[in-house]
Amino acid sequence: MTESSGSKLLNGEACQRTLRGKNAGKNGFVKNHCVFEHPRKYRRPTERSQNAAPNSSLYKKPFSESFEETPLLVAVLTYMGYGILTIFGYFRDFLRHWNIEKCHIAHEREQQKDFVPLYQDFENFYTRNLYMRIRDNWNRPICSVPGAKVDLVERVTHNYNWTFEHTGKVVKDVINMGSYNYLGFAENTGACASAAIETTHAYGVGVASTRCEIGNLDIHEELEQLVARFLGVESSMAFGMGFATNSMNIPPLTGKGCLILSDELNHASLVLGARLSGSTIRVFKHNNMQSLEKLLRDAIAHGQPRTHRPWKKILIVVEGIYSMEGSIVRLPEVIALKKRYKAYLYLDEAHSIGALGPNGRGVVDYFGLDPKDVDIMMGTFTKSFGAAGGYIGGRKELIDYLRCHSHSALYATSMSPPVAQQIISSMKIIMGEDGSTLGKDRLRQLSENTTYFRRKLREMGFIIYGNDDSPVVPLMLYMPAKIGAFGREMLKRNIGTVVVGFPATPIIESRARFCVSAAHTREMLDTALRAISEVGDLLQLKYSRRERPLSTPGWTYEESLLQD
Amino acid sequence: MPLGDCWKNLSWFYYQYLLVTALYMLEPWERTVFNSLLISVLGMAVYTGYVFMPQHIMAILHYFEVVQ
């Protein structure tokens, strides 16, 4: 770990020496002025772990992320498991085709059998034969507030997950490790809920128009001013839906002749918005600044594909916290690159707003940077504020332009008044303007819970991805059967978790994703950790090969297999 | 109760086998099909080994001129 950071610093210095050397004017000039040099080609391929940044002066505190590599035996067994499932999938499809077995899922009618097949691609095969078998882990109906504890509707299936029936019973007080409730504002009592009720009495629930027509309420104006003050930008605009904020606001900003540089693991809304805009999209490796710099340099040096004209604008699209990996964007380096190469930055803080930073102002606050450096700050109100919707913040000219040209402002209904009031109250609590210390307490509680939870899980021997400060905690499962088994076993122990497999993650890297909340007390976390450890022992999930304190009792089968 | 312990141990190993080979996700009749195929193939391998191993070993030793 230290050797790779050392080598980066060394190459950085070597880089500057060549600047003043003889090679300054030769061919390959483009390669000699890199801010972040490529690391040496040969590196021990045990872990990808970046502890110290190459330009450590940009970071005020250590940036420690780790993505431990998949153990080889586990990868082989995972592929074998998927192979067996695929063979049985083909077998069942054969039985369905020859009508030996009834087909429960959508299929073509008799008259359409000779047409181009609709359901034979891999996505449909996967849904029919793999997803359906463990479908009871998803779409579980909830019948209470999704706070720290939640009530679930009990379901049974008599035909292996093709249909479900409600038994009429309710599973009460399931510890909720899946909701994006980072600051615990998903509650039905308290100041926010009372304010929302009063607003409902005043305004009703529906707005019945778009922002541009007659749906612009004074509560929207108040909300936007508050959001601008919260973020530290000149002006902001709020939308009714977070997904629509991304997908409907990137098209007005860029068009043909513009370049979008987007991270490998960007959310579907960003990808959709980028594709809708019609710009050229180039993808850089996840959180990899060398890859981004190379793309920027190539874009500026070579211009547009055939005409070699300069790009009209270059927009770098990154997220604050990536929810599947738990990693935090390297914002200081992105801003340094953006300033150097004169590109624009679009930062999607869906998960990080309210959850990171000493004042809860997101990833910009976490790194101690100036909000004016980020051109377009986007975020959602769904996660930390307990409401729904999204916002975009930036300079006044930008927001005024978006008010007239955004598809969402012209065609989508504006935010509902009680939702807007919930955001206003929760934001005031976070900023401390309601006169109490509730905001500060919750921020501190979230950061303590995150550190405790992550440390404990690492100590138990699980492979946990991501940055040590991110409240999103992915725990690696890898094998397909363990996805279903983990979800079911945790529910038996009264803990609700979200398990994720393909296509949201790469096919062998399926995981369970925990979202730590400020509403979780230490006892709840301890209960959850005990249950996770139990299930981890039962399913043999403790794959990590790093040294851990010798408090694990006895001999575990997987450990002996992995000591090769 | 040693027999009870043995049964629990075996049952845990069977559970691990189900998880690793993804049979956990399959319906019971599919598990039966897979298990019977696996047992028949393994049984055939063991039987072939039992029948032919002495001949193979004698042939190897004869090749290396350890025994005439």
Side-chain angles (χ1 to χ4, degrees):
Chain A
M1 293 164 235
T2 42
E3 51 110 315
S4 63
S5 68
S7 73
K8 279 178 189 159
L9 273 172
L10 199 61
N11 285 339
E13 287 163 11
C15 213
Q16 282 161 19
R17 266 182 257 129
T18 48
L19 248 182
R20 302 181 212 108
K22 286 177 283 195
N23 295 333
K26 281 166 69 169
N27 269 347
F29 184 78
V30 168
K31 293 198 180 87
N32 290 346
H33 286 254
C34 292
V35 177
F36 307 121
E37 183 54 78
H38 276 283
R40 284 200 301 250
K41 285 281 182 197
Y42 172 72
R43 244 196 313 167
R44 279 180 68 237
T46 44
E47 282 177 28
R48 298 177 283 140
S49 159
Q50 300 102 34
N51 269 343
N55 291 10
S56 41
S57 58
L58 290 173
Y59 290 89
K60 298 185 179 74
K61 50 184 150 170
F63 185 88
S64 76
E65 268 189 359
S66 82
F67 301 93
E68 195 178 326
E69 197 166 305
T70 313
L72 183 62
L73 179 64
V74 172
V76 167
L77 292 175
T78 311
Y79 280 122
M80 179 186 83
Y82 275 111
I84 293 176
L85 286 171
T86 312
I87 294 173
F88 273 99
Y90 279 125
F91 179 51
R92 295 292 290 268
D93 274 349
F94 173 80
L95 294 180
R96 283 186 205 113
H97 183 261
W98 288 100
N99 287 327
I100 301 172
E101 185 195 347
K102 182 166 173 292
C103 183
H104 298 269
I105 204 176
H107 58 281
E108 293 109 329
R109 294 192 296 174
E110 277 309 312
Q111 302 90 325
Q112 292 173 325
K113 282 270 159 80
D114 290 326
F115 286 21
V116 173
L118 292 172
Y119 302 110
Q120 277 192 15
D121 55 342
F122 183 65
E123 296 270 337
N124 284 299
F125 177 84
Y126 181 85
T127 309
R128 265 197 312 267
N129 297 308
L130 275 77
Y131 173 74
M132 280 295 171
R133 295 185 192 271
I134 45 174
R135 192 164 75 119
D136 56 306
N137 290 307
W138 293 288
N139 299 324
R140 289 181 184 148
I142 294 177
C143 52
S144 79
V145 169
K149 291 202 172 174
V150 73
D151 298 338
L152 295 180
V153 175
E154 205 183 354
R155 306 187 284 182
V156 287
T157 171
H158 297 293
N159 50 5
Y160 299 104
N161 292 344
W162 289 103
T163 57
F164 289 107
E165 280 167 21
H166 293 181
T167 57
K169 288 202 285 261
V170 164
V171 184
K172 288 202 142 314
D173 288 337
V174 174
I175 295 180
N176 187 358
M177 300 297 302
S179 287
Y180 306 131
N181 185 18
Y182 300 132
L183 291 177
F185 279 114
E187 47 194 7
N188 54 357
T189 53
C192 297
S194 319
I197 292 172
E198 277 177 33
T199 314
T200 314
H201 284 307
Y203 291 93
V205 176
V207 183
S209 184
T210 67
R211 280 307 283 280
C212 279
E213 292 170 10
I214 203 165
N216 191 18
L217 306 175
D218 57 345
I219 206 172
H220 294 139
E221 305 271 326
E222 189 191 335
L223 171 63
E224 290 175 357
Q225 281 160 11
L226 184 62
V227 169
R229 222 160 21 98
F230 181 73
L231 297 172
V233 291
E234 282 178 24
S235 168
S236 81
M237 184 172 176
F239 304 92
M241 183 175 159
F243 188 99
T245 310
N246 272 331
S247 49
M248 299 291 118
N249 285 308
I250 299 183
L253 295 172
T254 59
K256 274 177 90 70
C258 301
L259 177 65
I260 293 183
L261 296 175
S262 102
D263 190 289
E264 205 176 24
L265 298 177
N266 266 341
H267 190 252
S269 55
L270 292 165
V271 172
L272 183 62
R275 287 181 186 171
L276 275 177
S277 69
S279 323
T280 311
I281 307 174
R282 296 208 180 136
V283 170
F284 62 94
K285 297 202 183 68
H286 176 59
N287 233 359
N288 188 333
M289 296 300 116
Q290 287 86 7
S291 172
L292 177 58
E293 181 161 18
K294 179 174 190 314
L295 283 181
L296 276 166
R297 292 173 75 84
D298 285 344
I300 292 176
H302 300 294
Q304 299 191 29
R306 272 158 311 164
T307 56
H308 293 290
R309 288 194 198 141
W311 294 101
K312 286 193 199 150
K313 49 176 103 90
I314 300 180
L315 184 68
I316 305 174
V317 178
V318 288
E319 286 188 39
I321 291 184
Y322 292 90
S323 63
M324 277 305 150
E325 307 279 308
S327 53
I328 299 181
V329 66
R330 292 171 179 275
L331 197 61
E333 296 177 51
V334 175
I335 288 186
L337 280 175
K338 163 199 117 86
K339 286 186 174 157
R340 182 147 193 218
Y341 294 103
K342 302 205 176 25
Y344 296 102
L345 179 58
Y346 185 107
L347 178 65
D348 177 349
E349 286 200 87
H351 286 268
S352 53
I353 190 75
L356 279 186
N359 301 317
R361 317 260 166 143
V363 68
V364 170
D365 190 30
Y366 174 74
F367 286 114
L369 300 168
D370 185 9
K372 303 218 177 346
D373 284 335
V374 180
D375 301 290
I376 306 155
M377 293 183 73
M378 177 267 170
T380 59
F381 299 118
T382 332
K383 278 87 185 182
S384 303
F385 300 97
Y391 65 84
I392 289 200
R395 292 176 54 210
K396 191 165 183 317
E397 295 88 29
L398 171 75
I399 302 297
D400 286 343
Y401 174 82
L402 276 181
R403 280 191 216 280
C404 306
H405 291 88
S406 160
H407 300 286
S408 180
L410 292 169
Y411 301 110
T413 316
S414 41
M415 198 184 275
S416 180
V419 173
Q421 183 58 46
Q422 159 80 19
I423 302 166
I424 292 175
S425 342
S426 56
M427 207 173 260
K428 285 197 173 139
I429 291 178
I430 295 176
M431 287 163 82
E433 285 180 8
D434 63 328
S436 70
T437 56
L438 188 61
K440 273 227 152 318
D441 289 339
R442 286 195 176 179
L443 288 167
R444 200 178 24 90
Q445 182 71 28
L446 175 65
S447 129
E448 279 175 15
N449 283 354
T450 306
T451 322
Y452 178 68
F453 196 68
R454 274 182 170 267
R455 186 173 52 87
K456 279 280 169 181
L457 281 179
R458 279 242 161 82
E459 276 171 18
M460 284 179 197
F462 293 102
I463 295 185
I464 306 288
Y465 273 13
N467 195 303
D468 284 340
D469 289 321
S470 101
V472 180
V473 186
L475 186 148
M476 303 308 289
L477 299 173
Y478 298 114
M479 299 185 192
K482 294 191 185 182
I483 305 175
F486 189 82
R488 290 174 193 157
E489 292 293 323
M490 290 302 282
L491 191 58
K492 273 191 217 160
R493 290 165 178 75
N494 236 19
I495 299 183
T497 51
V498 171
V499 289
V500 204
F502 183 82
T505 63
I507 195 148
I508 54 165
E509 288 173 23
S510 54
R511 56 202 74 175
R513 188 183 65 176
F514 300 106
C515 292
V516 184
S517 160
H520 288 135
T521 60
R522 191 51 79 94
E523 293 83 39
M524 281 189 227
L525 285 183
D526 282 333
T527 320
L529 284 165
R530 233 174 301 126
I532 295 171
S533 185
E534 230 180 277
V535 174
D537 283 328
L538 177 65
L539 301 179
Q540 294 294 304
L541 290 173
K542 299 188 177 175
Y543 299 119
S544 179
R545 282 190 281 188
R546 296 192 185 148
E547 292 96 43
R548 32 197 165 105
L550 286 170
S551 55
T552 51
W555 164 94
T556 50
Y557 182 65
E558 198 76 346
E559 263 178 278
S560 76
L561 268 183
L562 292 174
Q563 272 160 16
D564 41 326
Chain B
M1 177 89 186
L3 209 61
D5 272 348
C6 191
W7 181 247
K8 246 199 261 178
N9 219 0
L10 274 178
S11 153
W12 185 84
F13 271 112
Y14 182 63
Y15 188 64
Q16 297 304 312
Y17 158 76
L18 286 181
L19 283 176
V20 165
T21 56
L23 289 183
Y24 176 88
M25 287 165 66
L26 299 179
E27 297 171 25
W29 67 271
E30 289 168 328
R31 283 185 201 170
T32 320
V33 166
F34 184 85
N35 283 335
S36 27
L37 274 173
L38 186 69
I39 289 177
S40 53
V41 167
L42 284 178
M44 285 191 274
V46 165
Y47 175 72
T48 312
Y50 172 74
V51 167
F52 287 105
M53 206 45 78
Q55 291 174 280
H56 285 323
I57 293 177
M58 285 308 292
I60 292 169
L61 291 180
H62 189 74
Y63 179 79
F64 284 117
E65 291 174 11
V66 174
V67 72
Q68 295 309 349

